[in-house]
Amino acid sequence: MTTTKAVITGIAGFVPDYVLANAELEKLVDTTDEWITVRTGIKERRILKGEGVGTSFMGTKAVQALLAKTGTAPEAIDLLICATTTPDYVFPATANLICHEAGLANAYGFDVQAACSGFLYSVAMASQFIETGKHQKVVVVGADKMSAIVDYQDRSTCIIFGDGAGAVLLEPATSGHGILDFLLRTDGSGAQHLYQKAGGSRRPPTHETIEAREHYIYQEGSAVFKFAVTNMASVSAEIMEKNHLTADEIAWLAPHQANKRIIDATAQRMGIGPEKVMINIHKYGNTTAATIPLCLWDYESKLRRGDNIIMAAFGGGFTWGSLYLKWAYDGQ
Ligand code: UT7
């Protein structure tokens, strides 16, 4: 029997115009272009400037581009899932705002909070909605305005993050293509190593929390690095084994772009060469939920129908996972 799978039928992205290069960060904090390049692989990142614009602004741009590119009427979308760690508001969900702005009049929407693994979690979730037969067209958007929660006095975090959004359209197919498997993991004991200390219900905002700079990202970099290297590599190897995939059978690794060294370690563990690894960390930095769709967007022209792609991510929470899909169309 032919089973229904969710295939990605289109991809689009949006990055703001403003380029924050390493040279500019050298003027803000005690760092160098060389240190940042060697330790992370990042040369520049994009920053959303302007008053009153949040993550939904970029998410809407990506979704509008996606709909235009795929020739899809906004009213045809059933569901929009927005993966983000930097929602416009605590509530309502950023997905709701994007649905409204992009004219998705018949869709419902919700946000997924899984930090840097958010896009992967959301695609896995979207695929389930489609496989049940309940939904025909689902949009997943990964969007983050990390500059809103980055402390530009903290050299260990401000060099890493950037802003951006990427969106994919998922539809049902019985051709054997699509989302074939995923492994998702969570370990809340890692929360203390990467989080925003104040602003939530446990520690609501006060003058003291603001003065203590607790509304910015707090990260114990080397602790997170160790967990990320181990877990992103393991879960990627695990999904290969589970699906009896050899390195030769994998066309692409689409990894979360947190640190070039984490990506290299993952590829090495999977036994695949650098020519199969999607990389754009040098130009966008770590855009959290947007890294993987922005990679797919950048590499779309090289993708071929039938390509086996592994997505892999690791992020705050801790959250991590891998996803195996068979690409459904030839990129232009
Ligand atoms: O995306 C979600 C998950 N996040 C991640 O996966 C990020 C994982 N972590 C990392 O990517 C890396 O840990 C960082 C890029 C954040 C830091 O690199 P590192 O090689 O782990 O450096 P470190 O934190 O061990 O620090 C080494 C040294 C320290 O100086 P001392 O104590 O050895 O004198 C830091 O103070 O580098 C110093 N340092 C810097 N020096 C110049 C930290 N940041 C900087 C900087 N410029 N920007």
Side-chain angles (χ1 to χ4, degrees):
M1 199 182 85
T2 330
T3 53
T4 298
K5 295 288 176 193
V7 297
I8 292 177
T9 53
I11 170 96
F14 173 83
V15 288
D17 293 334
Y18 190 88
V19 176
L20 175 58
N22 289 351
E24 190 178 340
L25 287 170
E26 285 178 346
K27 295 180 196 145
L28 293 177
V29 290
D30 181 15
T31 192
T32 60
D33 172 45
E34 192 198 354
W35 193 96
I36 302 169
T37 308
V38 170
R39 297 291 184 117
T40 69
I42 302 167
K43 298 299 284 184
E44 57 189 42
R45 61 295 283 145
R46 300 300 181 95
I47 303 295
L48 183 63
K49 298 278 187 182
E51 289 295 313
V53 283
T55 293
S56 71
F57 175 84
M58 296 184 294
T60 300
K61 293 275 187 200
V63 171
Q64 286 170 331
L66 176 71
L67 297 178
K69 188 173 163 183
T70 56
T72 307
E75 299 80 14
I77 304 298
D78 302 311
L79 163 65
L80 181 139
I81 305 175
C82 178
T84 187
T85 297
T86 52
D88 284 31
Y89 306 107
V90 172
F91 73 93
T94 301
N96 293 25
L97 306 176
I98 296 173
C99 285
H100 173 65
E101 290 295 325
L104 310 191
N106 297 314
Y108 69 100
F110 58 85
D111 289 359
V112 167
Q113 163 49 275
C116 299
S117 310
F119 181 77
L120 212 152
Y121 271 50
S122 300
V123 169
M125 210 178 288
S127 74
Q128 305 299 289
F129 280 104
I130 285 176
E131 285 181 23
T132 61
K134 279 271 188 193
H135 298 70
Q136 299 302 307
K137 290 183 192 293
V138 179
V139 171
V140 172
V141 52
D144 269 301
K145 184 186 170 187
M146 297 307 291
S147 60
I149 57 167
V150 163
D151 183 351
Y152 287 97
Q153 294 180 13
D154 175 7
R155 69 176 180 172
S156 67
T157 51
C158 74
I159 54 143
I160 299 172
F161 295 100
D163 303 339
V168 294
L169 178 62
L170 292 123
E171 298 180 76
T174 52
S175 57
H177 300 86
I179 316 303
L180 300 184
D181 198 11
F182 54 82
L183 298 170
L184 304 178
R185 305 276 186 260
T186 301
D187 178 1
S189 71
Q192 60 188 320
H193 299 298
L194 174 54
Y195 70 123
Q196 185 178 315
K197 291 185 174 178
S201 59
R202 191 183 287 208
R203 201 160 159 70
T206 62
H207 289 292
E208 288 72 31
T209 62
I210 304 249
E211 271 161 29
R213 309 184 78 77
E214 290 179 358
H215 296 267
Y216 294 121
I217 297 164
Y218 170 81
Q219 175 172 258
E220 293 159 10
S222 53
V224 177
F225 185 88
K226 280 177 205 142
F227 277 99
V229 163
T230 311
N231 289 311
M232 201 163 119
S234 301
V235 81
S236 304
E238 194 182 337
I239 205 161
M240 285 174 69
E241 284 159 26
K242 188 171 168 228
N243 291 279
H244 312 292
L245 284 168
T246 64
D248 287 346
E249 289 166 326
I250 292 170
W252 294 101
L253 168 65
H256 171 52
Q257 311 277 305
N259 187 315
K260 177 77 165 51
R261 290 181 290 146
I262 299 172
I263 297 169
D264 290 346
T266 302
Q268 201 175 3
R269 176 79 184 275
M270 295 168 72
I272 63 168
E275 72 286 354
K276 291 182 173 183
V277 182
M278 297 184 189
I279 295 282
N280 60 14
I281 192 171
H282 52 287
K283 54 182 185 172
Y284 301 143
N286 182 347
T287 54
T288 302
T291 59
I292 294 177
L294 285 175
C295 271
L296 293 175
W297 184 46
D298 272 355
Y299 281 79
E300 186 189 22
S301 64
K302 298 185 178 176
L303 304 182
R304 292 289 161 264
R305 183 174 164 85
D307 277 356
N308 289 321
I309 300 178
I310 302 289
M311 293 181 189
F314 183 89
F318 291 134
T319 56
W320 68 101
S322 57
L323 186 144
Y324 164 39
L325 76 149
K326 204 176 267 295
W327 195 251
Y329 63 95
D330 290 336
Q332 300 297 314

Short mmCIF file of all heavy atoms in Angstrom, two decimals, residues 4-53:
data_model
loop_
_atom_site.label_atom_id
_atom_site.label_comp_id
_atom_site.label_asym_id
_atom_site.label_seq_id
_atom_site.Cartn_x
_atom_site.Cartn_y
_atom_site.Cartn_z
N THR A 4 0.79 7.91 2.59
CA THR A 4 0.90 9.36 2.39
C THR A 4 2.01 9.92 3.27
O THR A 4 2.07 9.63 4.47
CB THR A 4 -0.44 10.04 2.77
OG1 THR A 4 -1.45 9.53 1.90
CG2 THR A 4 -0.35 11.55 2.63
N LYS A 5 2.87 10.72 2.64
CA LYS A 5 3.93 11.41 3.37
C LYS A 5 3.80 12.91 3.09
O LYS A 5 3.18 13.32 2.10
CB LYS A 5 5.31 10.94 2.92
CG LYS A 5 5.58 9.48 3.23
CD LYS A 5 5.78 9.27 4.72
CE LYS A 5 5.96 7.81 5.06
NZ LYS A 5 5.85 7.56 6.51
N ALA A 6 4.43 13.71 3.95
CA ALA A 6 4.44 15.16 3.73
C ALA A 6 5.70 15.52 2.95
O ALA A 6 6.80 15.23 3.40
CB ALA A 6 4.43 15.89 5.07
N VAL A 7 5.51 16.15 1.79
CA VAL A 7 6.67 16.59 1.02
C VAL A 7 6.80 18.10 1.09
O VAL A 7 5.80 18.81 1.17
CB VAL A 7 6.60 16.16 -0.48
CG1 VAL A 7 6.61 14.66 -0.62
CG2 VAL A 7 5.40 16.76 -1.17
N ILE A 8 8.02 18.56 1.05
CA ILE A 8 8.27 20.00 0.95
C ILE A 8 8.12 20.37 -0.53
O ILE A 8 8.81 19.80 -1.38
CB ILE A 8 9.67 20.36 1.48
CG1 ILE A 8 9.73 20.12 2.99
CG2 ILE A 8 10.01 21.83 1.15
CD1 ILE A 8 11.09 20.37 3.64
N THR A 9 7.20 21.29 -0.81
CA THR A 9 6.95 21.67 -2.21
C THR A 9 7.44 23.08 -2.53
O THR A 9 7.31 23.54 -3.66
CB THR A 9 5.44 21.56 -2.55
OG1 THR A 9 4.71 22.31 -1.57
CG2 THR A 9 4.98 20.12 -2.51
N GLY A 10 8.00 23.76 -1.55
CA GLY A 10 8.55 25.09 -1.81
C GLY A 10 9.28 25.61 -0.59
O GLY A 10 9.02 25.15 0.53
N ILE A 11 10.19 26.52 -0.84
CA ILE A 11 11.00 27.09 0.25
C ILE A 11 11.31 28.55 -0.08
O ILE A 11 11.55 28.89 -1.24
CB ILE A 11 12.31 26.27 0.43
CG1 ILE A 11 13.31 26.93 1.37
CG2 ILE A 11 13.03 25.99 -0.88
CD1 ILE A 11 13.22 26.43 2.75
N ALA A 12 11.26 29.39 0.93
CA ALA A 12 11.62 30.80 0.72
C ALA A 12 12.23 31.34 2.02
O ALA A 12 12.02 30.76 3.09
CB ALA A 12 10.40 31.64 0.34
N GLY A 13 12.98 32.40 1.89
CA GLY A 13 13.62 32.98 3.08
C GLY A 13 13.59 34.49 3.04
O GLY A 13 13.27 35.11 2.00
N PHE A 14 13.90 35.06 4.17
CA PHE A 14 14.04 36.52 4.25
C PHE A 14 15.13 36.84 5.26
O PHE A 14 15.12 36.31 6.38
CB PHE A 14 12.73 37.18 4.71
CG PHE A 14 12.90 38.66 4.95
CD1 PHE A 14 12.84 39.57 3.90
CD2 PHE A 14 13.16 39.14 6.23
CE1 PHE A 14 13.03 40.93 4.12
CE2 PHE A 14 13.35 40.50 6.46
CZ PHE A 14 13.28 41.40 5.40
N VAL A 15 16.07 37.68 4.85
CA VAL A 15 17.05 38.21 5.81
C VAL A 15 17.05 39.72 5.70
O VAL A 15 16.92 40.27 4.59
CB VAL A 15 18.47 37.64 5.59
CG1 VAL A 15 18.57 36.18 6.02
CG2 VAL A 15 18.94 37.81 4.16
N PRO A 16 17.20 40.42 6.83
CA PRO A 16 17.21 41.88 6.78
C PRO A 16 18.45 42.39 6.04
O PRO A 16 19.45 41.68 5.92
CB PRO A 16 17.26 42.30 8.26
CG PRO A 16 17.12 41.07 9.07
CD PRO A 16 17.34 39.88 8.19
N ASP A 17 18.38 43.65 5.59
CA ASP A 17 19.48 44.23 4.80
C ASP A 17 20.74 44.51 5.61
O ASP A 17 21.84 44.41 5.11
CB ASP A 17 19.03 45.57 4.17
CG ASP A 17 17.96 45.36 3.13
OD1 ASP A 17 17.92 44.25 2.54
OD2 ASP A 17 17.14 46.28 2.91
N TYR A 18 20.55 44.88 6.88
CA TYR A 18 21.71 45.37 7.64
C TYR A 18 22.70 44.24 7.92
O TYR A 18 22.35 43.21 8.50
CB TYR A 18 21.27 46.00 8.96
CG TYR A 18 22.44 46.71 9.64
CD1 TYR A 18 22.72 48.04 9.34
CD2 TYR A 18 23.27 46.03 10.53
CE1 TYR A 18 23.82 48.68 9.93
CE2 TYR A 18 24.35 46.67 11.11
CZ TYR A 18 24.61 47.99 10.81
OH TYR A 18 25.69 48.61 11.38
N VAL A 19 23.96 44.45 7.51
CA VAL A 19 25.01 43.44 7.71
C VAL A 19 25.88 43.86 8.89
O VAL A 19 26.49 44.94 8.87
CB VAL A 19 25.88 43.31 6.44
CG1 VAL A 19 27.02 42.32 6.67
CG2 VAL A 19 25.03 42.87 5.24
N LEU A 20 25.89 43.02 9.92
CA LEU A 20 26.76 43.26 11.08
C LEU A 20 28.00 42.37 10.91
O LEU A 20 27.95 41.16 11.16
CB LEU A 20 26.01 42.93 12.38
CG LEU A 20 26.82 43.01 13.69
CD1 LEU A 20 27.43 44.40 13.89
CD2 LEU A 20 25.95 42.65 14.88
N ALA A 21 29.07 42.98 10.46
CA ALA A 21 30.30 42.21 10.17
C ALA A 21 31.16 42.12 11.42
O ALA A 21 31.00 42.91 12.37
CB ALA A 21 31.07 42.90 9.04
N ASN A 22 32.09 41.15 11.41
CA ASN A 22 32.98 40.99 12.56
C ASN A 22 33.73 42.28 12.88
O ASN A 22 33.98 42.58 14.05
CB ASN A 22 33.98 39.86 12.28
CG ASN A 22 33.31 38.49 12.29
OD1 ASN A 22 32.14 38.37 12.65
ND2 ASN A 22 34.04 37.47 11.88
N ALA A 23 34.07 43.04 11.84
CA ALA A 23 34.82 44.29 12.05
C ALA A 23 34.03 45.25 12.95
O ALA A 23 34.63 45.96 13.78
CB ALA A 23 35.12 44.94 10.71
N GLU A 24 32.71 45.29 12.79
CA GLU A 24 31.90 46.18 13.63
C GLU A 24 31.86 45.67 15.07
O GLU A 24 31.89 46.47 16.02
CB GLU A 24 30.48 46.30 13.06
CG GLU A 24 29.66 47.40 13.73
CD GLU A 24 28.26 47.59 13.15
OE1 GLU A 24 28.01 47.17 12.00
OE2 GLU A 24 27.43 48.16 13.88
N LEU A 25 31.81 44.35 15.25
CA LEU A 25 31.80 43.78 16.60
C LEU A 25 33.13 44.04 17.32
O LEU A 25 33.17 44.19 18.54
CB LEU A 25 31.51 42.28 16.55
CG LEU A 25 30.06 41.91 16.22
CD1 LEU A 25 29.92 40.42 15.95
CD2 LEU A 25 29.12 42.33 17.35
N GLU A 26 34.22 44.13 16.54
CA GLU A 26 35.53 44.44 17.13
C GLU A 26 35.50 45.80 17.85
O GLU A 26 36.24 46.03 18.79
CB GLU A 26 36.62 44.48 16.05
CG GLU A 26 37.04 43.12 15.55
CD GLU A 26 38.10 43.21 14.43
OE1 GLU A 26 38.30 44.31 13.87
OE2 GLU A 26 38.72 42.18 14.14
N LYS A 27 34.61 46.68 17.36
CA LYS A 27 34.50 48.02 17.97
C LYS A 27 33.60 48.03 19.19
O LYS A 27 33.65 48.93 20.01
CB LYS A 27 33.96 49.02 16.93
CG LYS A 27 34.91 49.24 15.77
CD LYS A 27 34.32 50.23 14.78
CE LYS A 27 35.06 50.14 13.45
NZ LYS A 27 34.19 50.35 12.31
N LEU A 28 32.73 46.99 19.30
CA LEU A 28 31.76 46.96 20.41
C LEU A 28 32.31 46.20 21.62
O LEU A 28 32.06 46.57 22.77
CB LEU A 28 30.47 46.26 19.96
CG LEU A 28 29.59 46.95 18.93
CD1 LEU A 28 28.40 46.08 18.57
CD2 LEU A 28 29.10 48.29 19.46
N VAL A 29 33.01 45.10 21.37
CA VAL A 29 33.51 44.24 22.46
C VAL A 29 34.96 43.84 22.17
O VAL A 29 35.46 44.04 21.05
CB VAL A 29 32.65 42.96 22.63
CG1 VAL A 29 31.28 43.28 23.19
CG2 VAL A 29 32.54 42.19 21.32
N ASP A 30 35.60 43.26 23.19
CA ASP A 30 36.99 42.85 23.06
C ASP A 30 37.08 41.53 22.30
O ASP A 30 37.08 40.45 22.90
CB ASP A 30 37.59 42.71 24.48
CG ASP A 30 39.05 42.31 24.44
OD1 ASP A 30 39.67 42.41 23.36
OD2 ASP A 30 39.56 41.88 25.50
N THR A 31 37.09 41.63 20.98
CA THR A 31 37.17 40.42 20.15
C THR A 31 37.90 40.75 18.86
O THR A 31 38.25 41.92 18.62
CB THR A 31 35.76 39.86 19.85
OG1 THR A 31 35.87 38.56 19.29
CG2 THR A 31 34.98 40.75 18.91
N THR A 32 38.14 39.73 18.05
CA THR A 32 38.78 39.96 16.75
C THR A 32 38.08 39.13 15.69
O THR A 32 37.48 38.08 15.99
CB THR A 32 40.27 39.52 16.77
OG1 THR A 32 40.31 38.12 17.08
CG2 THR A 32 41.08 40.31 17.78
N ASP A 33 38.21 39.60 14.47
CA ASP A 33 37.66 38.85 13.33
C ASP A 33 38.27 37.45 13.30
O ASP A 33 37.56 36.46 13.08
CB ASP A 33 37.97 39.63 12.03
CG ASP A 33 37.61 38.82 10.80
OD1 ASP A 33 36.52 38.24 10.77
OD2 ASP A 33 38.43 38.77 9.85
N GLU A 34 39.55 37.37 13.60
CA GLU A 34 40.23 36.07 13.54
C GLU A 34 39.65 35.10 14.58
O GLU A 34 39.37 33.94 14.28
CB GLU A 34 41.74 36.26 13.77
CG GLU A 34 42.50 34.99 13.43
CD GLU A 34 43.90 34.95 14.02
OE1 GLU A 34 44.34 35.95 14.61
OE2 GLU A 34 44.51 33.87 13.93
N TRP A 35 39.46 35.59 15.82
CA TRP A 35 38.92 34.71 16.87
C TRP A 35 37.54 34.19 16.47
O TRP A 35 37.26 32.99 16.55
CB TRP A 35 38.82 35.45 18.22
CG TRP A 35 38.57 34.54 19.39
CD1 TRP A 35 39.50 34.02 20.24
CD2 TRP A 35 37.30 34.00 19.83
NE1 TRP A 35 38.90 33.20 21.18
CE2 TRP A 35 37.55 33.17 20.94
CE3 TRP A 35 35.99 34.13 19.38
CZ2 TRP A 35 36.53 32.49 21.62
CZ3 TRP A 35 34.97 33.44 20.05
CH2 TRP A 35 35.26 32.64 21.16
N ILE A 36 36.70 35.11 16.01
CA ILE A 36 35.33 34.71 15.67
C ILE A 36 35.34 33.70 14.50
O ILE A 36 34.65 32.68 14.53
CB ILE A 36 34.47 35.94 15.30
CG1 ILE A 36 34.42 36.95 16.44
CG2 ILE A 36 33.06 35.51 14.91
CD1 ILE A 36 33.81 38.30 16.08
N THR A 37 36.17 33.98 13.50
CA THR A 37 36.21 33.12 12.32
C THR A 37 36.71 31.72 12.68
O THR A 37 36.11 30.71 12.29
CB THR A 37 37.11 33.74 11.23
OG1 THR A 37 36.68 35.08 11.01
CG2 THR A 37 37.03 32.96 9.93
N VAL A 38 37.80 31.67 13.44
CA VAL A 38 38.40 30.38 13.78
C VAL A 38 37.49 29.58 14.72
O VAL A 38 37.29 28.38 14.54
CB VAL A 38 39.80 30.58 14.41
CG1 VAL A 38 40.34 29.27 14.99
CG2 VAL A 38 40.76 31.15 13.38
N ARG A 39 36.90 30.24 15.73
CA ARG A 39 36.11 29.52 16.74
C ARG A 39 34.70 29.19 16.31
O ARG A 39 34.08 28.29 16.87
CB ARG A 39 36.03 30.34 18.04
CG ARG A 39 37.35 30.59 18.72
CD ARG A 39 37.92 29.30 19.30
NE ARG A 39 39.14 29.55 20.03
CZ ARG A 39 39.31 29.33 21.33
NH1 ARG A 39 38.33 28.82 22.04
NH2 ARG A 39 40.45 29.59 21.91
N THR A 40 34.16 29.97 15.34
CA THR A 40 32.75 29.74 14.98
C THR A 40 32.50 29.58 13.48
O THR A 40 31.49 28.99 13.08
CB THR A 40 31.86 30.93 15.44
OG1 THR A 40 32.18 32.08 14.65
CG2 THR A 40 32.06 31.25 16.91
N GLY A 41 33.34 30.17 12.63
CA GLY A 41 33.11 30.16 11.19
C GLY A 41 32.27 31.34 10.72
O GLY A 41 31.94 31.44 9.52
N ILE A 42 31.91 32.24 11.64
CA ILE A 42 31.01 33.35 11.28
C ILE A 42 31.84 34.58 10.84
O ILE A 42 32.81 34.95 11.50
CB ILE A 42 30.10 33.73 12.47
CG1 ILE A 42 29.27 32.53 12.91
CG2 ILE A 42 29.19 34.91 12.10
CD1 ILE A 42 28.57 32.70 14.27
N LYS A 43 31.41 35.18 9.72
CA LYS A 43 32.05 36.43 9.25
C LYS A 43 31.10 37.62 9.43
O LYS A 43 31.53 38.73 9.69
CB LYS A 43 32.42 36.33 7.76
CG LYS A 43 33.43 35.26 7.41
CD LYS A 43 34.78 35.44 8.08
CE LYS A 43 35.64 36.52 7.48
NZ LYS A 43 36.99 36.59 8.11
N GLU A 44 29.82 37.38 9.22
CA GLU A 44 28.84 38.46 9.36
C GLU A 44 27.46 37.86 9.64
O GLU A 44 27.25 36.66 9.49
CB GLU A 44 28.80 39.33 8.10
CG GLU A 44 28.49 38.56 6.83
CD GLU A 44 28.68 39.39 5.57
OE1 GLU A 44 29.67 40.15 5.47
OE2 GLU A 44 27.82 39.28 4.68
N ARG A 45 26.56 38.69 10.10
CA ARG A 45 25.19 38.26 10.35
C ARG A 45 24.27 39.44 10.00
O ARG A 45 24.72 40.57 9.88
CB ARG A 45 24.98 37.74 11.78
CG ARG A 45 25.21 38.58 12.95
CD ARG A 45 26.61 39.07 13.26
NE ARG A 45 27.60 38.18 13.83
CZ ARG A 45 28.89 38.26 13.52
NH1 ARG A 45 29.36 39.16 12.65
NH2 ARG A 45 29.79 37.48 14.08
N ARG A 46 22.97 39.15 9.81
CA ARG A 46 22.00 40.20 9.45
C ARG A 46 21.23 40.64 10.69
O ARG A 46 20.90 39.81 11.55
CB ARG A 46 21.02 39.69 8.40
CG ARG A 46 21.66 39.24 7.11
CD ARG A 46 22.41 40.36 6.44
NE ARG A 46 23.00 39.93 5.18
CZ ARG A 46 22.41 40.10 3.99
NH1 ARG A 46 21.24 40.72 3.91
NH2 ARG A 46 23.00 39.67 2.90
N ILE A 47 20.91 41.94 10.75
CA ILE A 47 20.21 42.49 11.90
C ILE A 47 18.99 43.27 11.42
O ILE A 47 19.09 44.08 10.49
CB ILE A 47 21.13 43.43 12.72
CG1 ILE A 47 22.40 42.70 13.17
CG2 ILE A 47 20.38 44.03 13.91
CD1 ILE A 47 22.20 41.55 14.15
N LEU A 48 17.84 42.99 12.06
CA LEU A 48 16.61 43.71 11.73
C LEU A 48 16.59 45.02 12.49
O LEU A 48 16.51 45.03 13.72
CB LEU A 48 15.38 42.86 12.09
CG LEU A 48 14.03 43.46 11.73
CD1 LEU A 48 13.86 43.65 10.23
CD2 LEU A 48 12.89 42.59 12.28
N LYS A 49 16.70 46.11 11.77
CA LYS A 49 16.70 47.45 12.39
C LYS A 49 15.30 48.05 12.28
O LYS A 49 14.50 47.64 11.45
CB LYS A 49 17.70 48.35 11.66
CG LYS A 49 19.15 47.88 11.74
CD LYS A 49 19.78 48.31 13.03
CE LYS A 49 21.28 47.98 13.04
NZ LYS A 49 21.92 48.34 14.30
N GLY A 50 15.05 49.08 13.09
CA GLY A 50 13.78 49.81 12.98
C GLY A 50 12.89 49.57 14.18
O GLY A 50 12.91 48.51 14.79
N GLU A 51 12.10 50.59 14.49
CA GLU A 51 11.19 50.52 15.63
C GLU A 51 9.95 49.70 15.28
O GLU A 51 9.46 49.76 14.15
CB GLU A 51 10.73 51.93 16.01
CG GLU A 51 11.80 52.80 16.66
CD GLU A 51 12.24 52.27 18.01
OE1 GLU A 51 11.37 51.94 18.82
OE2 GLU A 51 13.46 52.16 18.22
N GLY A 52 9.46 48.96 16.24
CA GLY A 52 8.15 48.31 16.09
C GLY A 52 8.11 47.15 15.12
O GLY A 52 7.03 46.76 14.67
N VAL A 53 9.27 46.62 14.76
CA VAL A 53 9.26 45.42 13.91
C VAL A 53 9.86 44.26 14.68
O VAL A 53 10.94 44.36 15.25
CB VAL A 53 10.00 45.62 12.57
CG1 VAL A 53 9.17 46.41 11.59
CG2 VAL A 53 11.37 46.24 12.76
#
